[in-house]
Amino acid sequence: MKTACPLDCYDACSVVYEEGKLKGDKNHPFTQGHLCYKLNHYFDYPQLDKAYFEGEEVSLEKALDILEERLKASEEILHFRGSGNVGKMQAVTDLFFSQLGATLTTGSLCDLAGQIGIKKGRGKNLILPLEEIKKSELVIVWGRNIGYTNHHLLPFLEGKILVVIDPIKTNLAKNASFHLQIAPRSDLELASMLARFIYMQNREDEQFIEEKTRYFEFYEDFIKSFRMVPTSQKIGVDILDIATLAELMMEHKTVILVGNGVQKYSHGAEVLWAIDSLAAMLGLFEKEGCGVSFLGDTSIENDPFKVEAKRVPKPLVNFGDYDLCFIQASNPAITLPNSKRVIEGLKKSFTVVFGLYNDETAQLANLIIPAKNFLQKEDIRFSYGHEFVELMPKLKDNPNALSEYELTKELMERFGFKGLKEEKEYISSFTKGLVKKGDYYTLPIEKYNFKQEPFTFIEEIEETEEEEEKKGYFLITPKPKNGINSQFKRDPFLYVPVSSGFKNKDKVVVKSEWGEIEMEVRVLAELRDDCVLAYSGSLINFVTPLEVDSFANNAIFQEVRVTLTKE
Ligand SMILES: Nc1nc2c(c(=O)[nH]1)N[C@H]1C(S)=C(S)[C@@H](COP(=O)(O)OP(=O)(O)OC[C@H]3O[C@@H](n4cnc5c(=O)[nH]c(N)nc54)[C@H](O)[C@@H]3O)O[C@H]1N2
Ligand SMILES: Nc1nc2c(c(=O)[nH]1)N[C@H]1C(S)=C(S)[C@@H](COP(=O)(O)OP(=O)(O)OC[C@H]3O[C@@H](n4cnc5c(=O)[nH]c(N)nc54)[C@H](O)[C@@H]3O)O[C@H]1N2
Ligand code: SF4
Ligand SMILES: [Mo]
């Protein structure tokens, strides 16, 4: 029986469920028969099988009675939905909460800054089809840790010239032809310097620029405004290395795989816009075996769960402002910035957690409602890394938990709300317009071509504070290998460079202007001297900023410097 992995991951693996075991689908063009630690160990992390009220076990029916009563007694209600499961049916609960007049969220903890930057240039953040990656000669992996977060793509990179742009010497970087170990937060400058080298040699794609773009004349001024020597000093790599990469790009069919790492900053949108502008200058959006891939937009037109509602920027939510917080598929006590404030807020409000695990947020909840896992409900998922779409049929029952659809149906009935359709109807609204390719669905061809006219070049950026004046280490906070944000295996350590003088197992207080937290040290030779690293899912969000980027209400986890003191 086939289904798909529900986790928030580029790979969106096709899964075979047989005799109680999860296996990778051998026939799927991308999954190619294997899964990862997370799904291979899925059942080692048992799901909640009871509801709890104030720490005491209660029946599901009783939990729903309490929820109904508390919702009716509350004035300010927050519906906070995360990405613990990225199946499309997750959003069905928005139908109930919007009718109830609850506050929903806007913005994201994830990739919206980059998405908006891409929209400014290309109009739409399209998925780059696997075929183009296969046909490329040069692959530039830019702030994406493919070995950890997207490893089913590795076979597609074999035989290519591989360039990695990352402040960390990742395993991928070690195996690459060329690694630019740049300073964090210098990607916009790097993209613009690369463009400048290409421009100096008159190697821009004049025809594409003439016919398919606008504002190139302003872009010329923009890239000229980056002075060579100080800019390469800021980027922190040799100017000749930048020239070498520009040379490679001029000579080869180039695909750029951009990840989340480049845009966890206040100017995250502009970083993606600058990378796209570099690509547009070379005409990469129209050439075979070329293009830029970011976390692609998986939204559909006519989304049945699109609702009007009051909304609050997700990274800035103050849980304490609400009488009742309904938290679904998220663990904000760990994954939201500024943990101290999150935890205080959760303690203050009546918190309901609708999830799979007894995680940190559930431990602060007044009411816990167990959710069905992906094998126990109907769903469908899209990928932000490739064009395949997978159906997720219900393969098992579980009387101890609820699906998102079941919870919505129950609540809508209790409140006398109208308008909920049959579950199957929703699933089919997501398959509408897809193409059947053998046993699998894919996005239609016109949905993933790159022509969006005219491409608009970046021409100016909002002023940001002078970085050099800031003191302390850059904080890198990427994704863990065997966990997915706060789910599955955690990596709790603070990784520091050898030059920091700290030793393994030292306990240090990590401090920023936003907060502090004690962490245990691991020394990592792969770090630049100006960086420390802590994975998503650790306690690092005690020090991350309660701020959003300039365009998208996106979290900016890395817009911060930290200092370390030994306990
Ligand atoms: N410092 C730092 N913080 C980060 C990041 C970072 O890079 N650095 N990354 C950010 C990013 S990109 C993201 S996407 C967020 C993710 O952060 P969250 O949205 O909080 O996601 P998770 O930690 O994966 O999931 C949390 C919970 O989802 C629940 N869950 C799983 N499956 C289901 C289901 O089917 N139904 C229901 N109802 N619940 C389910 C589980 O109980 C689980 O505990 O974290 C962000 N936080
Ligand atoms: N195993 C695993 N897979 C996952 C997840 C997980 O938690 N674990 N999470 C999923 C989710 S929610 C998402 S959003 C994706 C994201 O996955 P990725 O796109 O891979 O993003 P990150 O892991 O956050 O960061 C990627 C790389 O960016 C680098 N980086 C940090 N700062 C900078 C910078 O300023 N410039 C440059 N050039 N590079 C920088 C980091 O060192 C890191 O190697 O992964 C998904 N897949
Ligand atoms: S987490 Fe990613 S790599 Fe692992 S099984 Fe799911 S989709 Fe595949
Ligand atoms: Mo994410």
Side-chain angles (χ1 to χ4, degrees):
M1 290 179 292
K2 268 185 197 171
T3 181
C5 173
L7 302 175
D8 187 350
C9 173
Y10 289 98
D11 293 3
C13 289
S14 175
V15 175
V16 178
Y17 180 61
E18 259 169 16
E19 297 164 4
K21 292 213 166 73
L22 302 173
K23 292 181 196 149
D25 177 355
K26 291 198 182 75
N27 302 321
H28 192 271
F30 193 65
T31 306
Q32 300 188 352
H34 64 281
L35 301 173
C36 69
Y37 173 91
K38 288 149 281 178
L39 273 229
N40 288 335
H41 293 261
Y42 193 75
F43 301 115
D44 299 350
Y45 298 82
Q47 76 190 105
L48 288 162
D49 64 351
K50 296 273 178 337
Y52 293 86
F53 177 56
E54 306 297 3
E56 302 287 326
E57 246 181 71
V58 290
S59 67
L60 258 185
E61 197 55 33
K62 175 82 181 157
L64 288 165
D65 291 344
I66 298 167
L67 178 60
E68 177 185 346
E69 189 189 309
R70 296 301 301 222
L71 285 170
K72 286 182 172 160
S74 302
E75 274 179 27
E76 293 297 328
I77 297 169
L78 174 75
H79 176 45
F80 185 95
R81 193 156 60 67
S83 52
N85 172 328
V86 294
K88 288 289 183 192
M89 288 305 293
Q90 282 294 317
V92 67
T93 51
D94 291 12
L95 298 179
F96 168 74
F97 284 100
S98 58
Q99 277 201 48
L100 186 68
T103 301
L104 275 56
T105 60
T106 182
S108 102
L109 301 177
C110 184
D111 59 349
L112 206 58
Q115 296 231 26
I116 299 270
I118 289 176
K119 282 183 190 152
K120 284 172 180 291
R122 264 191 271 167
K124 193 157 197 285
N125 175 21
L126 298 164
I127 302 231
L128 183 69
L130 284 174
E131 271 312 303
E132 301 305 328
I133 303 179
K134 277 190 201 160
K135 288 181 201 149
S136 70
E137 297 163 346
L138 168 67
V139 176
I140 303 175
V141 179
W142 198 327
R144 189 193 292 191
N145 191 7
I146 289 189
Y148 283 14
T149 62
N150 185 200
H151 79 272
H152 288 83
L153 192 63
L154 291 174
F156 295 85
L157 308 187
E158 274 168 26
K160 318 265 177 213
I161 306 170
L162 178 64
V163 176
V164 171
I165 303 172
D166 199 304
I168 314 295
K169 199 161 206 43
T170 58
N171 286 341
L172 191 73
K174 286 178 191 163
N175 293 313
S177 322
F178 194 28
H179 176 207
L180 284 179
Q181 193 168 9
I182 63 168
R185 209 189 187 281
S186 66
D187 303 275
L188 186 145
E189 288 80 2
L190 177 60
S192 306
M193 286 279 282
L194 288 165
R196 204 162 164 196
F197 279 115
I198 292 162
Y199 180 72
M200 273 161 35
Q201 301 204 33
N202 291 106
R203 294 291 297 273
E204 67 271 23
D205 184 336
E206 281 170 13
Q207 193 184 351
F208 180 77
I209 292 169
E210 176 67 32
E211 290 172 9
K212 303 281 171 65
T213 73
R214 62 175 169 186
Y215 304 151
F216 186 69
E217 61 283 15
F218 301 127
Y219 182 60
E220 290 172 306
D221 292 338
F222 177 75
I223 55 180
K224 282 185 209 153
S225 72
F226 292 87
R227 289 184 299 139
M228 289 270 182
V229 174
T231 308
S232 61
Q233 273 164 358
K234 178 174 180 190
I235 299 169
V237 297
D238 197 313
I239 200 163
L240 290 176
D241 288 343
I242 302 175
T244 305
L245 178 54
E247 206 68 47
L248 286 171
M249 293 179 77
M250 292 183 251
E251 300 300 331
H252 297 94
K253 290 185 188 167
T254 304
V255 154
I256 309 179
L257 306 173
V258 191
N260 223 11
V262 302
Q263 53 98 67
K264 299 177 188 181
Y265 303 107
S266 57
H267 69 321
E270 288 160 331
V271 174
L272 263 297
W273 196 7
I275 293 173
D276 258 9
S277 294
L278 164 68
M281 178 191 201
L282 286 167
L284 298 189
F285 295 117
E286 269 204 339
K287 292 190 182 128
E288 197 184 68
C290 297
V292 180
S293 144
F294 179 59
L295 292 85
D297 185 355
T298 58
S299 63
I300 63 157
E301 274 165 42
N302 306 319
D303 185 332
F305 303 140
K306 195 168 171 199
V307 294
E308 292 287 323
K310 284 183 281 189
R311 290 182 189 263
V312 56
K314 198 170 191 181
L316 305 180
V317 165
N318 189 354
F319 294 97
D321 287 348
Y322 301 89
D323 303 317
L324 186 149
C325 297
F326 184 92
I327 296 170
Q328 172 189 333
S330 185
N331 185 7
I334 291 290
T335 56
L336 221 64
N338 220 238
S339 307
K340 185 160 177 263
R341 194 183 86 128
V342 172
I343 291 165
E344 282 165 3
L346 290 169
K347 282 184 182 158
K348 198 168 152 212
S349 84
F350 185 86
T351 300
V352 183
V353 163
F354 177 42
L356 279 189
Y357 306 118
N358 188 24
D359 60 21
E360 288 83 348
T361 308
Q363 285 163 28
L364 294 169
N366 302 85
L367 181 65
I368 301 178
I369 301 178
K372 285 188 170 171
N373 73 23
F374 76 107
L375 298 166
Q376 300 159 349
K377 58 196 174 195
E378 287 288 323
D379 217 325
I380 174 168
R381 77 157 293 171
F382 288 59
S383 161
Y384 47 81
H386 57 68
E387 66 270 29
F388 293 92
V389 177
E390 337 277 344
L391 287 174
M392 304 164 75
K394 177 173 171 178
L395 302 177
K396 250 173 123 170
D397 205 8
N398 177 1
N400 302 324
L402 294 171
S403 72
E404 287 64 24
Y405 181 81
E406 288 162 342
L407 180 80
T408 306
K409 188 161 191 251
E410 178 73 31
L411 289 172
M412 291 197 51
E413 278 167 11
R414 285 175 182 241
F415 281 77
F417 294 169
K418 298 275 174 295
L420 188 73
K421 296 182 187 162
E422 290 297 315
E423 196 170 20
K424 291 269 179 226
E425 277 187 59
Y426 291 123
I427 304 278
S428 55
S429 61
F430 290 103
T431 53
K432 208 181 283 166
L434 297 178
V435 178
K436 201 92 200 272
K437 204 171 169 183
D439 279 351
Y440 306 98
Y441 283 107
T442 75
L443 301 176
I445 212 98
E446 62 273 18
K447 277 213 94 170
Y448 61 83
N449 67 18
F450 339 111
K451 288 174 211 145
Q452 195 82 31
E453 293 170 42
F455 179 90
T456 307
F457 280 100
I458 188 169
E459 52 178 298
E460 61 177 359
I461 45 173
E462 289 190 4
E463 289 301 316
T464 49
E465 268 179 72
E466 263 313 304
E467 272 296 302
E468 291 85 76
E469 285 162 25
K470 295 200 183 144
K471 295 227 161 35
Y473 291 99
F474 286 103
L475 174 64
I476 308 284
T477 160
K479 308 300 185 188
K481 181 165 195 224
N482 294 329
I484 193 136
N485 298 305
S486 78
Q487 299 186 77
F488 308 99
K489 201 165 184 170
R490 301 280 180 91
D491 184 335
F493 304 114
L494 181 80
Y495 293 89
V496 302
V498 181
S499 62
S500 68
F502 293 110
K503 299 188 304 297
N504 283 347
K505 299 199 180 156
D506 279 350
K507 297 267 177 24
V508 293
V509 177
V510 191
K511 209 181 258 179
S512 77
E513 61 176 300
W514 301 101
E516 59 179 70
I517 186 70
E518 189 189 276
M519 293 177 86
E520 191 179 315
V521 159
R522 290 290 180 273
V523 178
L524 189 70
E526 286 77 4
L527 281 174
R528 287 171 55 98
D529 286 342
D530 53 4
C531 299
V532 297
L533 179 154
Y535 287 104
S536 179
S538 69
L539 293 178
I540 199 63
N541 281 329
F542 274 89
V543 307
T544 52
L546 184 65
E547 281 184 327
V548 289
D549 78 300
S550 322
F551 298 98
N553 283 315
N554 205 65
I556 48 173
F557 294 105
Q558 295 186 178
E559 192 66 69
V560 65
R561 297 291 185 103
V562 298
T563 55
L564 312 181
T565 39
K566 199 163 166 185
E567 269 297 82

